[in-house]
Every structure is written in C-alpha cells, then in structure tokens.
Amino acid sequence: MSRIGFIGTGHIAAPMVRFLAQRGHEITVSERNAKTAQALKASHAVSIAANQEVLDRSDIIFLCVRPHVASDIIQPLFFRGDHQVVSVMAGISLAALAELCAPATDLTMTIPLGYLEHGGCPLPACPDARLLKTLFAPENPVIEVAEEHAFNMHFAICAMVPGMLDLLDTGGRWLTDHTGDPDNALRYTRQVLTGFLAALPDGNAGQLGQERDALATEGTISLQMTQGLRDGGAHSTLRDTLSAIGDRLGGAT
C-alpha cells in the first residue's frame, strides 16, 4: 500500500480520499477545509497535518487547490525528488507544475469527478497513465493522453457537466409547470437521461450519433427536439463555448 498525501481537501479531493482509503492506502490530508478534513478523519481514519507535513509523510502527492491560489500554497513547500505528484488543477501547465514541485519530476495531471468513489469515472492522464491506473483502475477507466493541449480539451468537455445540469434543470422546471409536482418532475427528468446513458454498452466513436438517429426518426417528437435545438443554435453555441474554454486553458484550435 502507498503513503498518499492531499494538499487541498475539498469537493474534488474527498471522493478520491475515500476511494483510496477504502483500498488500504495510508492517507494524510491537509488542514485546508478543516470541516471536510475532520469528516474524512472520522469516517476513514485519515490523518490531518499541515501542508509541509503532508509532503513529509507521503510518497504520492495530490494537488487539489484552486488554480488561482496554487502558487501561493504550493511554492513555499519543499518537495522531494522521489515524490510522485498528481495535479487536478485546471489551467496549471506541466511547465508551471514542474517549477512549483521541483525537484520532483514524476508529474501527472488528471480530471476527477465526484462520483469517482463509486467507479465509472473516466480519468484522462497526461503525460503518463501508469500511476493513476495503479491507484484507480479498473473501477475507474484511465485514459492516457500524451499531449498537453489534448488533455486541456478534456477539461472543456468536463465543463459540459454543469451545462447539461442547467439544461436538465430547465426541462425539470418546465415539466413542473405542467404537472404541479416538482419532486417527481425532477426525478423523471433526471432518471430518463441517466438511465438511458447507464444502459449504453461501450461503443465506438459514432455510437452517440447512432443512438440519436435510432430515436430521432422521421415524424417523431425526438426528431422535432433535435431539429429545434440545432435550428436554435444550441450546437454552434456549444462548440463556440468549448473553444472559448479551450483557449482559456491553453489554446484551442
């Protein structure tokens, strides 16, 4: 089992801590976000320490602080050359990470989501997937992404999650307006999509389009929906927003 430390103990770190602790790893978390740290100590017997002590106790370090404060928090710390470092900080390049974590050189970037602890969370890994596969697979599929620009574009796709939730919320509210039953409107709107996606087998690059076309056949309300979204500019808006996020994260093409 490994000695693993977390700098930053919030919404993204906590599911990873729970997943790794359940597999017998020795976990030390930072004091940052004391409420979450104490909850993890109570539920999974993790240790809590100051940032530098987290590094001193650990061989694998997860950096889970917000990007805009990363330099202030990480730069004062002393890393070892044998530390393995995993960053989940959007917009912090490999070059910047190398500078912050020197003399450590074993650096990996990934994008975890909160449901990781339950399995099924895809983890893009750049530039090397070996460490993440050891820690999180097979429950969570690890996708090796060798080039940093391509990895950053995965952050843009990840940002679709709150966007899709926003659309589902609009749909659920619309259904509530017509049924007067907000709880069941939310339940139905959520489950009709999550259940469908969960039932899909692993497929090829064209699978989502094939599934769409199987539903949106001539004369159906499904086709009316897909055409209405296209005619309203939803797809072009999505691509434009993804490109803007990509530019922000490192230059989308």
Side-chain angles (χ1 to χ4, degrees):
M1 294 295 102
S2 300
R3 300 190 306 163
I4 304 174
F6 283 79
I7 303 298
T9 317
H11 178 69
I12 296 301
M16 291 190 289
V17 169
R18 290 191 289 265
F19 181 93
L20 294 169
Q22 288 168 359
R23 281 146 187 81
H25 296 288
E26 181 183 331
I27 310 293
T28 305
V29 301
S30 67
E31 298 168 320
R32 190 174 181 83
N33 197 330
K35 182 178 180 180
T36 302
Q38 289 294 336
L40 290 169
K41 180 179 180 179
S43 64
H44 289 76
V46 306
S47 300
I48 303 173
N51 287 345
Q52 185 59 54
E53 190 176 357
V54 172
L55 267 64
D56 295 341
R57 292 185 183 183
S58 307
D59 301 310
I60 299 170
I61 307 297
F62 279 80
L63 300 178
C64 307
V65 298
R66 295 186 184 278
H68 68 280
V69 298
S71 181
D72 291 340
I73 293 171
I74 299 169
Q75 197 163 34
L77 302 178
F78 293 95
F79 287 80
R80 300 194 308 267
D82 65 344
H83 272 141
Q84 295 176 281
V85 179
V86 180
S87 169
V88 303
M89 303 181 296
I92 304 296
S93 68
L94 275 174
L97 193 63
E99 184 175 343
L100 287 170
C101 300
T105 58
D106 189 341
L107 310 174
T108 302
M109 302 185 298
T110 192
I111 310 170
L113 293 171
Y115 61 91
L116 173 146
E117 64 182 301
H118 306 296
C121 177
L123 294 171
C126 179
D128 192 313
R130 287 175 294 178
L131 176 60
L132 292 177
K133 286 181 178 179
T134 298
L135 295 175
F136 295 109
E139 294 90 345
N140 296 283
V142 178
I143 303 167
E144 186 163 2
V145 184
E147 201 273 321
E148 187 171 357
H149 168 82
F151 173 81
N152 284 335
M153 299 309 101
H154 288 72
F155 271 115
I157 293 298
C158 189
M160 286 176 60
V161 172
M164 294 301 104
L165 290 175
D166 197 28
L167 288 175
L168 287 173
D169 181 63
T170 296
R173 290 175 184 275
W174 177 89
L175 185 57
T176 297
D177 291 342
H178 290 271
T179 64
D181 187 347
D183 290 340
N184 280 325
L186 170 63
R187 184 177 297 114
Y188 181 79
T189 303
R190 179 183 62 198
Q191 191 60 40
V192 74
L193 182 61
T194 58
F196 180 83
L197 291 175
L200 287 180
D202 289 339
N204 56 32
Q207 181 189 36
L208 294 180
Q210 293 166 5
E211 296 290 344
R212 174 203 62 212
D213 293 343
L215 292 172
T217 55
E218 184 175 358
T220 62
I221 58 174
S222 295
L223 182 60
Q224 182 178 352
M225 174 63 74
T226 57
Q227 286 182 335
L229 290 173
R230 288 186 181 277
D231 293 345
H235 291 263
S236 59
T237 298
L238 175 60
R239 293 188 66 89
D240 289 346
T241 304
L242 288 171
S243 294
I245 294 171
D247 288 339
R248 176 179 174 182
L249 291 171
T253 57

